[in-house]
Amino acid sequence: AGKQRLVFVPSGYLFYLPFAALGHKVDQSWRYLIQDYSCSVVSKLSDVQRLRQPPRPFQGTVLALGNPDGTLPAAAEECLEIARMVPGSTSLVGREVSVRDFRELSGSSYLHLATHASLDSSRPWNSYLVLGNHTRLNMAEVYLLPLESTRLVTLSACQPALGEHLPGQEIASLAETFAAAGANSVLATLWRIPDESTRDLMVSMYRLLREGRSLGEALREAQLEALARPAT
């Protein structure tokens, strides 16, 4: 009672749980947690201290890469719209998306990847993101990316947060690899998601970030907008 933010520090398979979608009972009716609380997930308890700080202003540029294999037309629109919101940002869509494009990361505060992900449960290191011309960005290459000054990496793809539970380790996944490479925050999907509604969700989230919301608040409000639409 009286709390506004819930912070989860999961381990193991609990990383697969969409905490914001859990239900709780309010006045004899069920509501999603996200309807009443801002929900954040951190990989270690020490990260909670960063959440106590005031929201950082939306500064810097976006590097948005999407639809490299031509199967996600709305993802291309998503990248173009997001890049148009922020002066100086870059959007690359279609076959032109390559590993070389990540050299521009040093000048971008936000990295937005709208593509497919392939996850190898038995050999997590073989997992990768699909790029243009049938090329791939694998987990080893992600570790080498210059992400220390990147505020947010958004993996607007199919299931990049899923991984393999290795004995004695946390979930090994593409999302966790981006965090280990230095990204301040990572937003990733847990299951296959429709192309068009994902575009609407992501564009709304970046709009709210520009209006001054924190990362958690912007995601929550965008999710609530989607929840209010009958189609989603």
Side-chain angles (χ1 to χ4, degrees):
K3 301 297 185 291
Q4 296 178 324
R5 171 184 281 175
L6 302 178
V7 181
F8 299 95
V9 192
S11 64
Y13 287 110
L14 289 179
F15 274 109
Y16 293 163
L17 189 63
F19 293 99
L22 295 181
H24 70 129
K25 203 168 187 180
V26 179
D27 298 328
Q28 305 304 312
S29 62
W30 287 95
R31 292 171 59 85
Y32 294 111
L33 285 185
I34 199 68
Q35 292 178 278
D36 299 302
Y37 302 97
S38 173
C39 299
S40 300
V41 177
V42 297
S43 57
K44 54 185 183 299
L45 193 59
S46 59
D47 290 337
V48 175
Q49 297 303 319
R50 290 192 293 124
L51 297 177
R52 295 177 180 273
Q53 301 170 3
R56 293 167 55 185
F58 187 88
Q59 294 177 335
T61 57
V62 178
L63 175 59
L65 311 176
N67 192 29
D69 62 356
T71 63
L72 298 169
E77 299 170 10
E78 176 184 319
C79 291
L80 294 170
E81 286 191 50
I82 290 171
R84 277 196 293 263
M85 289 184 193
V86 187
S89 295
T90 302
S91 62
L92 296 174
V93 297
R95 293 185 177 182
E96 60 188 349
V97 179
S98 69
V99 175
R100 292 190 303 274
D101 296 321
F102 289 89
R103 294 173 182 171
E104 299 185 32
L105 279 172
S106 57
S108 302
S109 299
Y110 300 84
L111 172 61
H112 189 88
L113 300 174
T115 180
H116 291 296
S118 176
L119 293 157
D120 188 330
S121 297
S122 60
R123 293 167 294 180
W125 290 103
N126 289 339
S127 300
Y128 59 87
L129 289 173
V130 177
L131 301 182
N133 291 316
H134 306 289
T135 58
R136 302 171 177 178
L137 180 71
N138 60 44
M139 292 178 74
E141 290 168 323
V142 170
Y143 269 118
L144 300 177
L145 295 178
L147 297 176
E148 290 76 13
S149 60
T150 303
R151 186 186 178 199
L152 173 67
V153 173
T154 301
L155 300 175
S156 178
C158 290
Q159 300 173 302
L162 289 179
E164 171 71 4
H165 193 199
L166 303 178
Q169 300 183 35
E170 296 293 0
I171 296 295
S173 72
L174 285 166
E176 186 62 23
T177 306
F178 276 93
N184 185 267
S185 297
V186 181
L187 171 62
T189 57
L190 284 169
W191 49 73
R192 286 182 171 82
I193 47 180
D195 197 20
E196 291 80 8
S197 55
T198 302
R199 173 200 58 207
D200 296 341
L201 176 74
M202 294 299 174
V203 170
S204 294
M205 187 192 76
Y206 279 90
R207 171 180 53 80
L208 291 161
L209 283 173
R210 286 196 64 204
E211 293 175 1
R213 309 296 201 282
S214 68
L215 294 177
E217 290 169 342
L219 176 60
R220 176 176 182 255
E221 291 187 36
Q223 288 173 323
L224 291 176
E225 288 179 11
L227 188 62
R229 288 194 294 268
T232 53

